[in-house]
Amino acid sequence: TASAGTGGTISPAGSVSVTSGGSKTFTITPNRGYKINAVTVNGISVGPVSTYTFSNVTANKTISATFWGR
């Protein structure tokens, strides 16, 4: 499941299917006037990254992004 707060987007978003053992890359994009504050993967911050790839997926995962600005 992928989600983004006010000030930007994550793509793909929502409930995303991945074949068992597969991978999926997410792109985090701030809106104009905003910057990426933090990206959290399974409850752990991975910093203000603009992309994140899940590899060898065998269980449900979460990714969320927050933004700051304006």
Side-chain angles (χ1 to χ4, degrees), residues 3-50:
S3 62
T6 301
T9 61
I10 189 166
S11 181
S15 181
V16 179
S17 295
V18 181
T19 302
S20 182
S23 64
K24 180 64 78 173
T25 298
F26 292 84
T27 302
I28 297 92
T29 307
N31 294 341
R32 186 171 181 224
Y34 286 83
K35 293 187 178 183
I36 300 168
N37 181 52
V39 175
T40 304
V41 174
N42 299 324
I44 299 168
S45 177
V46 295
V49 298
S50 58

